[in-house]
Amino acid sequence: MRQTEQILGGMGNIEDAEVTVSVPVRERCKDLILSDETIAELMRRIMKDVEKGLCKDTHKEAVVKCFITYVQDLPNGTERGEFLALDLGGTNFRVLLIHLGQNHFDMQSKIYAIPQSIMVGTGEQLFDHIAECLANFMKEHDVYSHKLPLGFTFSFPLQQLGLTKGLLETWTKGFKCSGVVGNDVVQLLKDAIRRRGDIQIQVCAILNDTTGTLMSCAWKNHNCRIGLIVGTGCNVCYVEKTENCELFDGNTNKPDCIVNTEWGAFGSDGALDIVITEYDREIDENSINPGKQLFEKMISGMYMGELVRLALVRLTKDNLLFGGKLSDHLLKRGNFFTKYVSEIESDKRGSFLNCREVLGELGLSHATEQDCANVRYICECVSRRAAHLVSAGIAVLINKMKEPSLTVGVDGSVYRFHPHFHDLMVEKIKQLILPGIKFDLMLSEDGSGRGAALVAAVACREN
């Protein structure tokens, strides 16, 4: 009972509701509640894996890769001028034009589709399409004849070899363009621009969305040292001392370098076995990448709703929910959306308005008030476990950096839309960090767009 109260800390106890959670459901959800001892052990394991990723001798077999980004300078407010950003990470991509002035940020952007035929065509076709859209965008915004710096957010697995050099490791998200894997995507973009011969663009940096989040927040808050994404996926980057980055081969005169941890992979060597539940195992077994990205699968929006669905199905089969009656809708994989978790937890105590609406959509109109209380409790256990896992990782980085005060820039749909995720993280991180350290969480504004332009702006400032 004490642990249950702890996981609901600050949100009001479930007992405040008119209908209490049934004892058998509470008992069955204990596996989803992380004790202080378990979190402390997970923190030790995360720290060990981060150090493995940074170390030259252990990097190759490291689960948490801690890739070097080659971004060594953060915005300081003196960046000025016009910059382009290109954000490619799915079936659409964005082009942005950003004007930086003194305390002034003006941004114009446009979304372009990538036809299915191009997604599975050649790399040349893909980058020619991107270059054509870039040229059209520059015409529309009267910068066609300008030579502009560009930051390129590329949200696919990338082995970075420099600020402007990155080799594609593998395509994901339905892309299968030939001639790109193993090649430098910056060079492929430059080649496409050169083939056109009508626009002048200087590609200043390639980055992923966590680095963009950190940079975007650092422009407003110079104390930002961590960039976190908790959305469809989950990843984090942070500012590390260059001397600790053993694989770094850039400018060692600069004291810092942003490291992209790729911590979603944590646990693929068994490090998460102490907290894995039957629901996590089922999600992993039915995923497109079994045995991989286990930490991400316990946290991110891609899986949170499905975790709840699996728990609901199991407890209904055991006659603890809905009078033992399942619906066809609930039995179908992926039908309990992560947004349902946020909606159900947004209900005021004693009210099950959203919960009833969600259950109605799932063919469970026969749910009782007791069922609604139980469903909300299951949602709370899953989302709070996610918040506490993220918090454990963030606390590891804060303790490692030993800064007296810092800001964590955060983006992603789970953090942005879940009604309690921010508060749960703040409360848990406070418990886990070393005495005397101050921190705050800051919602990022368009890390993948604005952040990319800022990396380009900082690179131009330094040059």
Side-chain angles (χ1 to χ4, degrees):
M1 182 63 197
R2 186 186 62 78
Q3 288 178 348
T4 302
E5 286 167 356
Q6 181 185 40
I7 202 167
L8 297 168
M11 297 301 109
N13 198 311
I14 195 76
E15 314 293 15
D16 297 340
E18 291 174 10
V19 184
T20 60
V21 179
S22 67
V23 173
V25 167
R26 190 184 294 283
E27 193 63 31
R28 291 289 294 275
C29 286
K30 275 186 176 177
D31 286 352
L32 292 165
I33 299 171
L34 306 177
S35 68
D36 291 347
E37 295 78 16
T38 300
I39 288 177
E41 178 56 30
L42 283 175
M43 286 176 69
R44 281 191 288 275
R45 294 181 184 193
I46 292 169
M47 182 63 177
K48 189 178 170 187
D49 274 14
V50 167
E51 288 174 339
K52 271 188 188 175
L54 291 170
C55 176
K56 191 180 269 186
D57 293 338
T58 52
H59 175 82
K60 195 173 180 182
E61 65 265 20
V63 170
V64 179
K65 285 297 183 186
C66 290
F67 290 122
I68 307 301
T69 67
Y70 293 88
V71 176
Q72 292 188 267
D73 300 289
L74 300 180
N76 61 17
T78 64
E79 298 79 22
R80 302 284 183 272
E82 284 183 318
F83 304 92
L84 286 167
L86 176 61
D87 175 16
L88 175 64
T91 52
N92 296 322
F93 71 96
R94 286 188 307 155
V95 181
L96 304 95
L97 176 65
I98 289 166
H99 301 263
L100 278 178
Q102 187 169 0
N103 302 316
H104 169 68
F105 201 113
D106 179 49
M107 185 167 73
Q108 296 159 295
S109 66
K110 187 169 181 177
I111 295 172
Y112 295 91
I114 302 176
Q116 177 68 21
S117 58
I118 289 179
M119 287 175 68
V120 296
T122 67
E124 196 167 290
Q125 286 174 315
L126 173 66
F127 285 97
D128 281 347
H129 176 62
I130 291 170
E132 182 183 359
C133 295
L134 259 173
N136 291 340
F137 180 87
M138 291 174 77
K139 275 180 194 166
E140 287 171 24
H141 292 87
D142 297 322
V143 291
Y144 188 64
S145 59
H146 299 198
K147 184 174 184 179
L148 293 178
L150 177 140
F152 185 8
T153 299
F154 186 79
S155 298
F156 297 93
L158 200 69
Q159 181 193 356
Q160 214 156 331
L161 302 176
L163 191 55
T164 57
K165 188 169 186 179
L167 311 182
L168 176 66
E169 297 252 309
T170 180
W171 279 120
T172 55
K173 307 174 194 175
F175 280 77
K176 284 185 182 175
C177 301
S178 60
V180 186
V181 172
N183 287 310
D184 177 11
V185 291
V186 173
Q187 192 57 52
L188 292 171
L189 177 61
K190 286 178 178 177
D191 291 345
I193 292 166
R194 196 178 297 117
R195 278 194 293 275
R196 290 188 61 83
D198 61 341
I199 51 175
Q200 292 182 295
I201 290 172
Q202 179 193 359
V203 184
C204 291
I206 187 164
L207 60 146
N208 79 355
D209 50 3
T210 58
T211 303
T213 294
L214 196 163
M215 296 296 279
S216 180
C217 290
W219 186 74
K220 277 192 170 179
N221 182 334
H222 301 332
N223 212 24
C224 188
R225 292 292 179 273
I226 296 174
L228 171 68
I229 303 284
V230 194
T232 308
C234 182
N235 190 23
V236 75
C237 71
Y238 73 103
V239 177
E240 181 57 274
K241 297 293 177 207
T242 307
E243 64 194 35
N244 295 334
C245 302
E246 293 187 11
L247 291 160
F248 181 71
D249 56 1
N251 184 355
T252 52
N253 292 325
K254 292 184 175 179
D256 299 319
C257 182
I258 294 178
V259 167
N260 166 27
T261 67
E262 292 292 345
W263 77 0
F266 175 66
S268 61
D269 58 350
L272 280 168
D273 287 357
I274 54 170
V275 291
I276 292 275
T277 67
E278 62 178 287
Y279 315 122
D280 299 305
R281 286 195 184 92
E282 189 166 341
I283 282 213
D284 183 50
E285 285 164 10
N286 289 301
S287 69
I288 57 168
N289 55 349
K292 295 179 179 176
Q293 301 296 110
L294 295 184
F295 195 55
E296 183 170 74
K297 286 170 183 168
M298 296 176 80
I299 295 165
S300 78
M302 183 174 270
Y303 306 101
M304 188 183 284
E306 181 65 4
L307 280 167
V308 171
R309 188 192 73 84
L310 290 170
L312 296 180
V313 168
R314 166 55 63 201
L315 296 185
T316 306
K317 283 181 176 177
D318 292 347
N319 217 30
L320 298 176
L321 285 172
F322 312 127
K325 293 178 191 168
L326 283 162
S327 68
D328 291 341
H329 275 75
L330 188 65
L331 283 168
K332 191 173 177 186
R333 193 175 296 134
N335 260 8
F336 197 101
F337 308 125
T338 293
K339 70 171 185 173
Y340 289 167
V341 179
S342 294
E343 287 168 5
I344 288 169
E345 290 195 56
S346 294
D347 274 330
K348 290 192 174 78
R349 291 291 166 195
S351 162
F352 299 113
L353 209 63
N354 293 337
C355 189
R356 286 204 169 281
E357 195 172 320
V358 167
L359 294 178
E361 285 179 37
L362 292 166
L364 296 162
S365 304
H366 60 284
T368 63
E369 293 270 300
Q370 178 72 75
D371 287 328
C372 289
N374 289 339
V375 168
R376 179 159 68 198
Y377 181 72
I378 293 162
C379 288
E380 287 173 335
C381 287
V382 169
S383 64
R384 277 151 183 74
R385 184 185 71 159
H388 288 178
L389 287 169
V390 173
S391 300
I394 292 297
V396 166
L397 297 179
I398 290 175
N399 291 343
K400 184 180 192 307
M401 294 160 78
K402 294 186 174 68
E403 298 273 351
S405 168
L406 59 77
T407 294
V408 181
V410 195
D411 205 350
S413 52
V414 172
Y415 178 81
R416 199 176 274 272
F417 299 121
H418 187 280
H420 310 308
F421 213 84
H422 169 90
D423 293 338
L424 287 163
M425 282 187 65
V426 169
E427 181 187 42
K428 184 51 71 175
I429 293 168
K430 272 182 188 168
Q431 290 175 19
L432 301 175
I433 57 175
L434 297 169
I437 295 179
K438 292 180 180 174
F439 77 97
D440 67 319
L441 305 183
M442 175 183 181
L443 181 64
S444 169
E445 293 181 58
D446 190 25
S448 53
R450 176 184 291 206
L454 282 163
V455 174
V458 170
C460 291
R461 181 194 83 202
E462 289 302 303
N463 291 335

